[in-house]
Amino acid sequence: MAEALLPGLLRARTDRHLSVAGTTTSHADLLAAAAVVADSLAGRRRVAVLATPTMSTVLAVTGALLAGVEVVPVPPDSGAAELRHILSDATPDAWLGAAPDDTSLPALEIDETARASYTPVQVDPERIAFVLYTSGTTGLPKGVLLSRRALTAGLDGLIDAWAWTSDDVLVHGLPLFHVHGLVLGVLGPLRIGGSLVHVGRGTPEAYAGAKGTMYFAVPTIWSRLAESPDHARELTGARLLVSGSAALPVPVFERLKELTGHEVAERYGMSETLITVATRADGVRRAGWVGVPVAGVETRLRDEHGADVPHDGESVGRLEVRGATLFDGYLNRAEATAETFTDDGWFVTGDVAVIDADGAHRIVGRESVDLIKSAGYRIGAGEIESTLLGHPAVAECAVIGAPDPDLGQKIVAFVVARTPVSAADLTSYVGEELSAHKRPREIVFVDALPRNEMGKVQKKRL
Ligand code: MLC
Ligand code: AMP
């Protein structure tokens, strides 16, 4: 069996292109360049890739996948603490391509001009492709182990749902260290053999300027497009507009319909499960609903006692999923992995939802207030709280996600200061330790945090 993950790329077409932040290459050329990278990785087990939105990242990831080497995509703006954690937890052999300053890990340089013919390598489908770091409610981010089997099943489910073909030109401007931008947004086109335009930064101008058949974005980008009518109208000629990573507000769906003539197709997923539920290209589109399970995935709703909740379109339950798209667990975290599965083997998403009699899903919210979704990024309140507590001026703090029309939720930190400190100092401290999107947008200084008799902070009162 030859390489089974990216058969579209192996067709090496010269009339299918990837364009990333202004650099364009054909599939044939990317394959030849990635073959050199793959050859250079003999004997390697796992590499870290500083996942800037560039062709270098696409080349590094593609080369490693062709070689069957695991990739740890690292957010390019990772702060000191976040970087230390990812590297010590994942223990990659080396950086592949660019490395951050002051790293002790060796860096394997990539010669982007080198070309070789690709020699098929047989890779076990159960082999891990990515270790993707994602936030939990507490503690440090966990490495989600995604196998090639899961990626294949996840992409094939979407290819089927969206009638995605090699004639499609996908446009997006999403980061390349999460499922949305990396798996759907880069491996999708490489699996189907279609074209990609990655616009670099996901602005309305950039989306409007790229001519594609399919557009992927998070709700923040869709909402900015809805407020920029001239740019939104440029998407009228597309085949499919897709939203995911967070809830698309109904007014944004309605406004985009007026401006583009398209009803945005929403889909739902997680780092741990890939995309499990999607609105089909030929299916019903309903504002606020995210579609039906993709091929190979089953879903169910349970109440707090583990009893089934009816699929009647109204009853709310905890959403559980199972199927071929699921992760293989969290790296080095057997206990945390076990906690996310029910005794009978279903993954507990932490989201609450309703399902109707036709199998359509509506995501109602999340069970925990400690998982924040801001601009499509999943952010753990606990990680930001621990970081803030590391600042000498912070005596106590509590972090919440406050509703925000642009970001969905914005990070707000309530801080009891020990000594005088400015909000700007605390914000930049979080940016230096973690990453830019984990910085609080607002710091509220308070004299004390509301606590219950047990001493636990009552976040609902903040
Ligand atoms: C941000 N800024 C701040 C700040 N936070 N400044 C001060 N204090 C803070 N706390 C700055 C930024 O650095 C930036 O500055 C400016 O404010 C605007 O920031 P922004 O509003 O965040 O906008 P932007 O940079 O344009 O980014 C918006 C975005 C981006 C939507 C394009 O957030 C994004 O790409 N999100 C996608 C996340 C994603 O891919 N999630 C998928 C997870 S996978 P400057 O100077 O730079 O302009 C998943 C599975 C699934 O969820 O279902 O898909
Ligand atoms: P992440 O692990 O970053 O992929 O975040 C996964 C979480 O994003 C899910 O558990 C949901 O809470 C949220 N999410 C993803 N897609 C949607 C959607 N279409 N609607 C509502 N929430 C979503």
Side-chain angles (χ1 to χ4, degrees), residues 135-142 333 368 370-371 380-383 385-386:
S135 301
T137 50
T138 57
L140 295 162
K142 297 190 281 282
R333 304 290 298 272
S368 172
D370 287 326
L371 265 193
E383 189 188 6
E385 288 161 1
S386 319

Side-chain angles (χ1 to χ4, degrees), residues 175 178 180 201 224 245 267 269 373 375-377 427 439-441:
H178 282 310
H180 199 164
R201 193 165 179 174
R224 291 176 185 180
S245 304
R267 93 293 179 290
K373 263 277 165 166
Y377 286 111
T427 304
R439 289 174 301 182
R441 299 268 168 169

Side-chain angles (χ1 to χ4, degrees), residues 14-375:
T14 51
D15 59 348
R16 292 292 179 271
H17 294 89
L18 286 97
S19 164
V20 185
T23 305
T24 301
T25 176
S26 67
H27 279 205
D29 209 32
L30 175 65
L31 180 62
V36 178
V37 177
D39 287 344
S40 74
L41 291 175
R44 301 284 175 182
R45 177 189 56 108
R46 182 181 290 159
V47 293
V49 172
L50 200 60
T52 51
T54 57
M55 189 62 84
S56 316
T57 297
V58 171
L59 177 56
V61 168
T62 307
L65 291 177
L66 290 181
V69 172
E70 298 177 17
V71 176
V72 187
V74 176
D77 63 347
S78 287
E82 186 164 306
L83 200 54
R84 252 194 328 268
H85 167 63
I86 293 176
L87 297 181
S88 65
D89 190 56
T91 61
D93 305 340
W95 289 99
L96 179 56
D101 304 335
D102 65 20
T103 179
S104 55
L105 203 62
L108 307 173
E109 267 183 45
I110 291 181
D111 178 359
E112 294 187 32
T113 61
R115 301 288 180 269
S117 62
Y118 166 68
T119 318
V121 179
Q122 193 169 319
V123 187
D124 183 351
E126 291 307 322
R127 196 162 163 67
I128 297 303
F130 292 125
V131 185
L132 281 191
Y133 278 81
T134 192
S135 301
T137 50
T138 57
L140 295 162
K142 297 190 281 282
V144 171
L145 297 170
L146 291 170
S147 70
R148 301 167 74 96
R149 181 246 322 132
L151 297 175
T152 302
L155 290 171
D156 286 349
L158 295 178
I159 287 167
D160 167 59
W162 296 334
W164 194 347
T165 75
S166 59
D167 291 333
D168 276 306
V169 179
L170 172 66
V171 175
H172 72 87
L174 296 160
L176 299 185
F177 47 88
H178 282 310
V179 162
H180 199 164
L182 181 62
V183 177
L184 279 60
V186 173
L187 300 197
L190 295 181
R191 180 160 180 82
I192 195 70
S195 293
L196 165 68
V197 179
H198 188 295
V199 298
R201 193 165 179 174
T203 61
E205 297 78 3
Y207 273 59
K211 291 283 162 273
T213 62
M214 289 168 83
Y215 288 76
F216 289 175
V218 295
T220 298
I221 299 177
W222 287 124
S223 131
R224 291 176 185 180
L225 270 159
E227 282 175 15
S228 189
D230 290 342
H231 293 123
R233 285 189 197 98
E234 294 293 322
L235 275 51
T236 303
R239 183 174 76 76
L240 191 65
L241 312 184
V242 183
S243 180
S245 304
L248 183 72
V250 172
V252 174
F253 176 97
E254 302 293 355
R255 182 73 179 130
L256 287 169
K257 187 176 169 181
E258 276 168 35
L259 292 171
T260 67
H262 290 286
E263 294 180 313
V264 174
E266 231 191 310
R267 93 293 179 290
Y268 158 85
M270 292 182 78
S271 306
E272 290 89 336
T273 64
L274 302 179
I275 307 311
T276 46
V277 177
T279 304
R280 298 183 61 85
D282 60 1
V284 188
R285 315 252 170 108
R286 258 193 292 171
W289 292 73
V290 297
V292 296
V294 301
V297 170
E298 292 172 272
T299 59
R300 72 179 184 190
L301 296 177
R302 297 250 133 165
D303 68 16
E304 60 274 28
H305 309 294
D308 282 324
V309 169
H311 294 185
D312 58 11
E314 283 175 14
S315 304
V316 176
R318 296 173 168 168
L319 181 63
E320 298 179 357
V321 301
R322 72 173 178 193
T325 66
L326 261 58
F327 72 144
D328 280 26
Y330 299 111
L331 181 65
N332 305 326
R333 304 290 298 272
E335 213 170 294
T337 303
E339 278 169 14
T340 59
F341 283 91
T342 62
D343 292 343
D344 57 347
W346 291 69
F347 177 79
V348 181
T349 63
D351 292 302
V352 288
V354 302
I355 303 179
D356 76 8
D358 297 325
H361 292 54
R362 185 164 68 82
I363 307 300
V364 176
R366 280 204 70 87
E367 273 189 88
S368 172
V369 293
D370 287 326
L371 265 193
I372 299 167
K373 263 277 165 166
S374 189

